Structure formats: C-alpha cells, structure tokens
Amino acid sequence: MNDEMKYEEALAQLETIVRKMEANELDIDEIAAQLKTAQRLIKLCRDKLTKTEAELLEEQTDGQ
C-alpha cells in the first residue's frame, strides 16, 4: 500500500475488510493483520480528504 493509491481503491479495501470481519471469515491472526491494514487505509483516506479540502478552500479563496 502506498500514498499513490486512489481514495476509491483504499475505500474498497476497507469495505472488503469490514465485510470479512462481519462474516467471521478471518481467524485471529488474520484479524490482527487486517486491523493494521485498515488503520493504514483509514489514515490514507483521511489524509486525501484533508488535502482535497485544503485545495478546495485555497481555490475558493483565490477565486474571490
């Protein structure tokens, strides 16, 4: 996983992890690994949203 991953890809991976957890498809070792992956994906999504918000606010300010 890297910062070049698209938001939609990260979100899809998160949804897959949640679905597997809800369906009890993961053993305890897989759950631990998937939780770490989910944390990184959440951070990536949050960072992308924050960056996009900042860019939009900057454009609004520049346009006024």
Side-chain angles (χ1 to χ4, degrees):
M1 177 176 26
N2 60 42
D3 288 339
E4 297 305 314
M5 177 183 286
K6 290 187 176 189
Y7 177 85
E8 293 79 12
E9 292 171 321
L11 191 57
Q13 284 188 25
L14 277 168
E15 290 171 347
T16 298
I17 292 169
V18 169
R19 183 188 52 76
K20 287 181 178 182
M21 292 178 108
E22 289 178 342
N24 293 319
E25 293 179 14
L26 304 172
D27 65 32
I28 193 72
D29 294 322
E30 291 174 317
I31 289 173
Q34 291 299 307
L35 283 174
K36 287 179 184 178
T37 299
Q39 287 175 325
R40 288 191 302 268
L41 290 166
I42 290 168
K43 181 179 182 331
L44 186 141
C45 288
R46 186 175 291 135
D47 290 349
K48 286 187 178 288
L49 288 172
T50 300
K51 180 181 175 187
T52 300
E53 181 181 33
E55 288 171 357
L56 289 172
L57 288 173
E58 185 178 313
E59 284 189 30
Q60 283 181 341
T61 303
D62 289 346
Q64 292 181 356

